[in-house]
Amino acid sequence: MADTANSMSQATDVPPADSSSDGGNQTQNGTVNTQEGGQAQQQQQAQRPNTWSVIKTLAIRMIFIYFIASMFRRSPTTPANDSSGGGGSMRPSTNLFDKGTVMDMYVYVSEQEDFDDFANEDALFWVEKGLVYGDWTSGETGDGTYVKHGQILASETVQNNGSLFLHVYLVKEGKSPNPAAKADKRFSKKYTVHRSKRLNKFKKRKFHATANLLTGETEVHPDLQQKENKSSFEILSHWHPNLTINLLDDHSPWVPGSVPQPLDEYIEFYPGGNKYYPVIYLNDYWNLNSDYMPINVTTKMLNLSLTYSPISLFKWQMYAAQSMRNKWSSFLGSDFVEDSDEDQDSLKTAFLETSPYLLALTIVVSILHSVFEFLAFKNDIQFWRSRKSLEGLSVRSVFFNVFQSLIVLLYVMDNETNTVVKISIFIGLCIEIWKIHKVVNIETFPGEKMFGVIPRVSVAFKSTYTETPTKEYDRLAFRYLSWALYPLLGCYAVYSLLYQEHRGWYSWVLSMLYGFLLTFGFIMMTPQLFINYKLKSVAHLPWRMLTYKALNTFIDDIFAFVIKMPTLYRLGCLRDDVIFFIYLYQRWIYRVDPKRVNEFGTSQEMLENPAAAAIDSDTTGENGTPAIPPSEGGEETSPPKSDVEKKTD
């Protein structure tokens, strides 16, 4: 205990601490931290999610956590009997400290989780006397806030993944939190409020296993490179210099056993009476994960800035609800529920730095984005499910979409990606695979086996595709496309091999294909444009699905230049706009004839005005063309051929 006491210096007043103030204490690992920050910044730039998708994901997960919590929530039943012997139900409790009670606050910093070293003056970090419960007007800023800055000497234990704990005590004026002062009646257990929290946070520091495949060299610092037969990460203690001590200003009549979750974890009732202790909430919600500093042997001093501030019941409930996320993360697994550090930082930064009006607009647009995304998904399924003819549709693009979705899924599985993202991509791949049986006829021959085990499978395009000019136009489109696609793929593969680092050849192939598809994937939308041009028609396209996807693209455009995001993503939004505007131009020049019948013998005019269509049927042929009277020889002449029939001939 003496060693622990000597390892910490007495708190002294220093200028306000920030996350960069300990940089001078890490001279030996300065290069390591610089390299690690550069690698993290590059990785974050490449994979940073947009803000509205972060808000959308957070909302879905909050709803998910709420419903799960409701399943385990205790029903607000009233205990049967009062322990005092009254035989009735429990009475509502009142706050042990009345409003206006004068208090003293003692704050200790120690390596002890269960603190009892009150005699150690070096462990005492802050003493603030004369605080008034429910006071919102005192302090330097006039809002009841008090601030304390100081430094703590990091012991050898702390430098080697040890822990530091903060212990906060609130006592009535003139009282002491030290039980040893009970002899002179300065200690009162009843009027002593205590709350503790571990100050350091254990986080993973990941090692980099990438290198240039040709030279074997890497720009990563040697201390951050993964060694052979070693783990891909290590657990390090991290430090954040800021913490807020919130004292809840509340006098609600809480009833024991009826406090809802997660508030029941903070409301502590005084045994043997209808009283409860004031709530001390140690708040670190606004501490960004990117501001945490690793603690190692070069860290001699730790800056600490504490802020005391009263808090309302509503704000405390919001913070308490957020604290449940960490508990569900440990219960369900971090890969399933826990947001990545970048997601959390992006969300908090949005609340801290974004204008309230822009933030409200972002939330509204995010909801619209989700609605349009769902409608596009629904209409895409409906279109292919009810489609009988493949005339005018690019069947080759369906197979390419399967290949593209497969590459994206393998890429995210090769890299550390959130499980929710993997599930979403997998569902998209299943939908693309489901479309295959809508464009080809698959037939198996159980009697004919390949290698004596596998039945022979026959795959052939549907007749509505092969017996129309669509197949030839689709083949020509992909042939012209290959003239640009293959050279670009080769150039990008060489660039990726020369200038980028990879874990291996498998990762290089996936990374190269994924980057190529992300950059030049819009080229695969051009075959459909070519088919539209040849057929001089766009009536065969799923316009509802395209419209919803276009609206989502326009929403992305609005925020692509407002919110900070990678340049490649902005270019992706612009390229999709160009393709859709070409679709709109084709729809404008290739007008739909309402009198032309489809393959089912119906036309738009028949559906909109059946009575007029019945009258016109006497003067029109069965294909919607004017009937021609018989010639003089008594033979009925054939009606003029349609445009499609002419092309077929």
Side-chain angles (χ1 to χ4, degrees):
M1 187 177 300
D3 294 339
T4 303
N6 294 331
S7 66
M8 305 177 65
S9 65
Q10 184 175 4
T12 56
D13 293 335
V14 295
D18 58 22
S19 58
S20 60
S21 58
D22 289 82
N25 297 328
Q26 297 188 4
T27 55
Q28 297 180 9
N29 281 5
T31 306
V32 177
N33 294 335
T34 304
Q35 294 289 342
E36 183 180 9
Q39 293 290 333
Q41 185 176 2
Q42 294 177 2
Q43 186 176 6
Q44 182 178 1
Q45 181 71 7
Q47 301 180 0
R48 176 177 308 198
N50 48 57
T51 303
W52 55 94
S53 66
V54 172
I55 296 177
K56 177 178 65 178
T57 304
L58 178 69
I60 294 175
R61 294 183 180 185
M62 287 180 64
I63 295 174
F64 175 75
I65 293 175
Y66 171 78
F67 281 112
I68 293 182
S70 300
M71 296 172 59
F72 295 93
R73 183 176 300 171
R74 293 197 307 264
S75 59
T77 56
T78 305
N81 296 313
D82 190 349
S83 58
S84 61
S89 61
M90 275 289 198
R91 293 177 297 169
S93 301
T94 58
N95 200 318
L96 196 61
F97 285 20
D98 296 329
K99 195 174 186 67
T101 301
V102 182
M103 308 171 296
D104 297 336
M105 182 177 68
Y106 294 83
V107 180
Y108 297 88
V109 178
S110 172
E111 297 179 21
Q112 295 180 348
E113 184 173 3
D114 298 322
F115 185 72
D116 59 1
D117 194 15
F118 293 96
N120 182 13
E121 295 183 356
D122 292 337
L124 182 60
F125 183 82
W126 186 12
V127 177
E128 189 69 37
K129 297 186 177 182
L131 296 175
V132 179
Y133 189 33
D135 180 18
W136 293 76
T137 58
S138 61
E140 296 181 358
T141 57
D143 57 355
T145 300
Y146 296 86
V147 181
K148 172 69 174 181
H149 306 290
Q151 284 186 323
I152 302 171
L153 178 64
S155 66
E156 183 178 355
T157 303
V158 174
Q159 293 175 348
N160 291 275
N161 278 7
S163 297
L164 273 177
F165 295 90
L166 183 80
H167 299 271
V168 180
Y169 293 88
L170 281 176
V171 296
K172 281 196 172 183
E173 185 181 22
K175 298 293 183 179
S176 171
N178 188 0
K182 190 174 183 179
D184 54 1
K185 297 183 180 181
R186 293 183 58 245
F187 173 77
S188 174
K189 184 177 180 180
K190 179 178 181 180
Y191 295 104
T192 301
V193 187
H194 170 242
R195 179 70 63 177
S196 63
K197 182 182 182 64
R198 190 181 66 215
L199 291 175
N200 60 308
K201 181 179 181 180
F202 292 101
K203 299 176 60 179
K204 292 182 180 179
R205 184 173 73 169
K206 299 177 181 178
F207 294 115
H208 298 270
T210 59
N212 189 288
L213 297 180
L214 297 179
T215 63
E217 299 178 354
T218 179
E219 298 180 357
V220 180
H221 191 275
D223 291 344
L224 298 178
Q225 298 178 16
Q226 183 178 355
K227 307 299 188 296
E228 291 188 24
N229 301 325
K230 297 293 184 180
S231 176
S232 60
F233 64 90
E234 65 175 343
I235 304 297
L236 285 181
S237 178
H238 286 70
W239 180 266
H240 198 288
N242 300 322
L243 184 69
T244 300
I245 304 173
N246 288 131
L247 180 62
L248 178 62
D249 183 13
D250 173 62
H251 296 271
S252 300
W254 300 109
V255 177
S258 299
V259 181
Q261 292 182 341
L263 309 184
D264 58 344
E265 301 179 8
Y266 301 92
I267 303 294
E268 182 181 355
F269 293 92
Y270 179 72
N274 57 337
K275 297 286 185 180
Y276 62 87
Y277 290 97
V279 175
I280 301 176
Y281 183 71
L282 303 180
N283 191 356
D284 61 351
Y285 177 77
W286 297 108
N287 292 350
L288 300 182
N289 288 279
S290 58
D291 293 338
Y292 277 85
M293 176 196 68
I295 302 176
N296 49 38
V297 293
T298 64
T299 308
K300 305 300 181 183
M301 301 296 293
L302 297 172
N303 290 344
L304 181 59
S305 177
L306 297 180
T307 302
Y308 166 84
S309 176
I311 188 174
S312 64
L313 177 62
F314 176 75
K315 291 183 65 176
W316 173 62
Q317 288 176 321
M318 297 292 292
Y319 286 126
Q322 287 294 324
S323 66
M324 286 193 67
R325 184 185 62 86
N326 295 329
K327 297 181 180 180
W328 284 111
S329 299
S330 59
F331 178 73
L332 296 176
S334 58
D335 290 338
F336 189 77
V337 175
E338 185 179 19
D339 295 329
S340 64
D341 292 346
E342 291 79 9
D343 290 342
Q344 285 294 302
D345 284 358
S346 299
L347 182 64
K348 295 175 184 179
T349 303
F351 281 106
L352 291 173
E353 300 179 359
T354 307
S355 168
Y357 300 102
L358 181 59
L359 186 61
L361 179 63
T362 302
I363 296 175
V364 173
V365 171
S366 299
I367 297 175
L368 293 177
H369 194 283
S370 302
V371 173
F372 292 148
E373 187 175 358
F374 170 76
L375 292 176
F377 166 78
K378 180 180 73 72
N379 283 276
D380 189 26
I381 296 294
Q382 288 181 347
F383 174 81
W384 284 99
R385 200 168 140 192
S386 59
R387 189 71 181 178
K388 302 299 182 182
S389 174
L390 298 177
E391 182 179 2
L393 297 177
S394 176
V395 172
R396 295 172 185 259
S397 297
V398 174
F399 288 94
F400 184 84
N401 289 336
V402 174
F403 170 75
Q404 179 173 327
S405 300
L406 178 62
I407 292 298
V408 174
L409 179 62
L410 293 177
Y411 176 80
V412 298
M413 292 181 65
D414 187 57
N415 296 270
E416 295 186 2
T417 311
N418 192 282
T419 306
V420 177
V421 176
K422 295 180 182 178
I423 295 175
S424 175
I425 297 175
F426 177 75
I427 294 175
L429 175 61
C430 293
I431 295 174
E432 297 297 334
I433 295 176
W434 169 78
K435 291 180 183 178
I436 292 179
H437 89 283
K438 303 295 293 184
V439 299
V440 297
N441 293 320
I442 303 176
E443 186 177 1
T444 59
F445 299 90
E448 304 178 15
K449 297 186 180 296
M450 301 173 57
F451 307 105
V453 178
I454 305 175
R456 186 173 68 88
V457 180
S458 174
V459 179
F461 291 113
K462 291 184 178 294
S463 59
T464 56
Y465 175 71
T466 57
E467 296 176 359
T468 61
T470 304
K471 181 181 179 180
E472 179 64 20
Y473 298 153
D474 200 9
R475 186 187 63 82
L476 288 176
F478 269 83
R479 188 178 71 178
Y480 298 151
L481 180 65
S482 63
W483 295 351
L485 198 64
Y486 292 145
L488 289 174
L489 178 60
C491 294
Y492 190 85
V494 173
Y495 167 80
S496 177
L497 191 62
L498 290 177
Y499 297 103
Q500 294 180 351
E501 297 180 0
H502 308 277
R503 287 192 296 271
W505 291 102
Y506 173 75
S507 296
W508 168 72
V509 172
L510 291 180
S511 177
M512 179 266 297
L513 290 177
Y514 176 77
F516 175 78
L517 293 174
L518 188 65
T519 308
F520 304 105
F522 74 100
I523 298 180
M524 299 312 303
M525 302 175 68
T526 54
Q528 188 62 62
L529 297 176
F530 182 78
I531 294 176
N532 299 341
Y533 165 73
K534 285 294 186 178
L535 293 179
K536 300 296 188 291
S537 174
V538 294
H540 47 269
L541 295 181
W543 279 104
R544 287 187 179 181
M545 184 268 292
L546 290 175
T547 302
Y548 291 132
K549 285 189 174 182
L551 291 174
N552 274 345
T553 303
F554 294 150
I555 291 174
D556 293 341
D557 290 336
I558 296 175
F559 291 94
F561 297 94
V562 176
I563 298 175
K564 184 179 180 181
M565 58 181 56
T567 305
L568 193 62
Y569 183 84
R570 296 179 177 179
L571 294 177
C573 296
L574 178 62
R575 76 185 185 197
D576 294 340
D577 293 338
V578 174
I579 296 296
F580 183 73
F581 278 120
I582 296 178
Y583 276 129
L584 291 180
Y585 175 73
Q586 289 184 333
R587 183 178 176 87
W588 179 68
I589 61 176
Y590 304 144
R591 303 296 178 88
V592 178
D593 185 3
K595 295 184 179 181
R596 179 180 299 174
V597 297
N598 57 15
E599 65 272 19
F600 304 106
T602 59
S603 65
Q604 180 180 350
E605 187 180 58
M606 294 178 184
L607 297 176
E608 294 179 352
N609 193 354
I615 296 175
D616 293 341
S617 62
D618 296 333
T619 59
T620 58
E622 61 181 9
N623 290 330
T625 57
I628 300 177
S631 60
E632 296 179 356
E635 296 181 356
E636 184 177 346
T637 59
S638 301
K641 296 183 178 180
S642 63
D643 295 339
V644 177
E645 290 174 338
K646 291 179 181 180
K647 292 183 176 62
T648 306
D649 294 341

Short mmCIF file of all heavy atoms in Angstrom, two decimals, residues 123 207 221-222 246 263 346 370 412 434 500 545 547 554 575 622:
data_model
loop_
_atom_site.label_atom_id
_atom_site.label_comp_id
_atom_site.label_asym_id
_atom_site.label_seq_id
_atom_site.Cartn_x
_atom_site.Cartn_y
_atom_site.Cartn_z
N ALA A 123 -3.30 10.53 -2.89
CA ALA A 123 -4.44 9.99 -3.62
C ALA A 123 -5.59 10.99 -3.72
O ALA A 123 -6.46 10.84 -4.58
CB ALA A 123 -4.94 8.72 -2.93
N PHE A 207 -2.03 -4.98 -35.30
CA PHE A 207 -0.79 -5.01 -36.06
C PHE A 207 -1.10 -5.08 -37.54
O PHE A 207 -2.11 -5.66 -37.96
CB PHE A 207 0.07 -6.20 -35.64
CG PHE A 207 0.57 -6.12 -34.22
CD1 PHE A 207 0.15 -7.04 -33.28
CD2 PHE A 207 1.45 -5.13 -33.83
CE1 PHE A 207 0.60 -6.98 -31.97
CE2 PHE A 207 1.90 -5.05 -32.53
CZ PHE A 207 1.49 -5.98 -31.60
N HIS A 221 5.69 1.18 -39.33
CA HIS A 221 6.79 1.12 -38.37
C HIS A 221 6.99 -0.32 -37.90
O HIS A 221 6.01 -1.08 -37.72
CB HIS A 221 6.48 2.02 -37.17
CG HIS A 221 7.65 2.24 -36.26
ND1 HIS A 221 7.97 1.37 -35.25
CD2 HIS A 221 8.58 3.23 -36.23
CE1 HIS A 221 9.04 1.81 -34.62
NE2 HIS A 221 9.43 2.95 -35.20
N PRO A 222 8.24 -0.74 -37.68
CA PRO A 222 8.48 -2.14 -37.26
C PRO A 222 7.72 -2.56 -36.01
O PRO A 222 7.34 -3.73 -35.88
CB PRO A 222 10.01 -2.16 -37.03
CG PRO A 222 10.53 -1.08 -37.92
CD PRO A 222 9.49 -0.01 -37.94
N ASN A 246 -21.43 14.32 -12.95
CA ASN A 246 -22.78 14.87 -12.97
C ASN A 246 -23.53 14.46 -11.71
O ASN A 246 -23.58 13.27 -11.37
CB ASN A 246 -23.56 14.38 -14.19
CG ASN A 246 -23.08 15.00 -15.49
OD1 ASN A 246 -22.85 14.30 -16.47
ND2 ASN A 246 -22.94 16.31 -15.52
N LEU A 263 -32.26 2.68 -15.12
CA LEU A 263 -32.13 3.62 -14.00
C LEU A 263 -31.96 2.92 -12.67
O LEU A 263 -31.39 3.48 -11.73
CB LEU A 263 -33.34 4.56 -13.96
CG LEU A 263 -33.72 5.27 -15.27
CD1 LEU A 263 -34.88 6.22 -15.02
CD2 LEU A 263 -32.53 6.02 -15.84
N SER A 346 -17.95 9.29 -35.50
CA SER A 346 -18.65 10.04 -36.55
C SER A 346 -19.99 10.56 -36.05
O SER A 346 -20.37 11.70 -36.32
CB SER A 346 -18.87 9.15 -37.78
OG SER A 346 -17.64 8.72 -38.31
N SER A 370 -33.83 5.42 -46.35
CA SER A 370 -34.18 4.04 -45.99
C SER A 370 -35.48 3.60 -46.66
O SER A 370 -35.59 2.46 -47.13
CB SER A 370 -34.31 3.93 -44.46
OG SER A 370 -33.12 4.31 -43.82
N VAL A 412 -15.25 -8.09 -48.11
CA VAL A 412 -15.60 -7.67 -46.74
C VAL A 412 -15.31 -8.80 -45.74
O VAL A 412 -15.04 -8.54 -44.57
CB VAL A 412 -17.06 -7.22 -46.65
CG1 VAL A 412 -17.31 -6.02 -47.53
CG2 VAL A 412 -18.01 -8.36 -47.00
N TRP A 434 -30.87 -15.50 -57.24
CA TRP A 434 -32.27 -15.88 -57.50
C TRP A 434 -32.71 -15.42 -58.89
O TRP A 434 -33.54 -16.09 -59.54
CB TRP A 434 -33.15 -15.28 -56.43
CG TRP A 434 -34.62 -15.37 -56.71
CD1 TRP A 434 -35.43 -16.45 -56.57
CD2 TRP A 434 -35.44 -14.32 -57.25
NE1 TRP A 434 -36.71 -16.15 -56.96
CE2 TRP A 434 -36.75 -14.85 -57.38
CE3 TRP A 434 -35.22 -13.00 -57.62
CZ2 TRP A 434 -37.81 -14.10 -57.86
CZ3 TRP A 434 -36.26 -12.25 -58.10
CH2 TRP A 434 -37.55 -12.79 -58.22
N GLN A 500 0.39 -0.36 -53.85
CA GLN A 500 -0.41 -0.67 -52.68
C GLN A 500 0.13 -1.89 -51.96
O GLN A 500 0.81 -2.73 -52.57
CB GLN A 500 -1.88 -0.91 -53.07
CG GLN A 500 -2.57 0.32 -53.61
CD GLN A 500 -4.01 0.07 -53.99
OE1 GLN A 500 -4.48 -1.08 -54.00
NE2 GLN A 500 -4.75 1.13 -54.29
N MET A 545 -38.25 0.79 -59.81
CA MET A 545 -37.01 0.50 -59.10
C MET A 545 -35.91 1.50 -59.45
O MET A 545 -35.20 1.99 -58.58
CB MET A 545 -36.56 -0.93 -59.42
CG MET A 545 -35.31 -1.39 -58.66
SD MET A 545 -33.78 -1.06 -59.57
CE MET A 545 -33.97 -2.19 -60.94
N THR A 547 -36.32 4.56 -60.44
CA THR A 547 -36.66 5.86 -59.87
C THR A 547 -36.27 5.94 -58.40
O THR A 547 -35.69 6.93 -57.95
CB THR A 547 -38.16 6.13 -60.03
OG1 THR A 547 -38.51 6.08 -61.42
CG2 THR A 547 -38.52 7.51 -59.47
N PHE A 554 -29.60 10.90 -55.71
CA PHE A 554 -29.69 12.35 -55.56
C PHE A 554 -29.52 12.77 -54.10
O PHE A 554 -28.92 13.81 -53.81
CB PHE A 554 -31.04 12.85 -56.10
CG PHE A 554 -31.20 12.67 -57.58
CD1 PHE A 554 -32.45 12.47 -58.14
CD2 PHE A 554 -30.10 12.67 -58.41
CE1 PHE A 554 -32.60 12.29 -59.50
CE2 PHE A 554 -30.23 12.50 -59.78
CZ PHE A 554 -31.48 12.31 -60.33
N ARG A 575 -21.18 9.66 -61.25
CA ARG A 575 -21.28 8.75 -62.39
C ARG A 575 -22.67 8.13 -62.46
O ARG A 575 -23.23 7.96 -63.56
CB ARG A 575 -20.22 7.66 -62.29
CG ARG A 575 -20.59 6.61 -61.26
CD ARG A 575 -19.54 5.59 -61.04
NE ARG A 575 -20.11 4.59 -60.11
CZ ARG A 575 -19.39 3.72 -59.43
NH1 ARG A 575 -18.09 3.73 -59.55
NH2 ARG A 575 -19.96 2.86 -58.65
N GLU A 622 -55.84 -7.26 -84.54
CA GLU A 622 -55.60 -7.84 -83.23
C GLU A 622 -54.29 -7.35 -82.63
O GLU A 622 -54.08 -7.48 -81.43
CB GLU A 622 -55.57 -9.35 -83.32
CG GLU A 622 -54.48 -9.88 -84.23
CD GLU A 622 -54.49 -11.38 -84.33
OE1 GLU A 622 -55.46 -12.00 -83.82
OE2 GLU A 622 -53.56 -11.94 -84.88
#
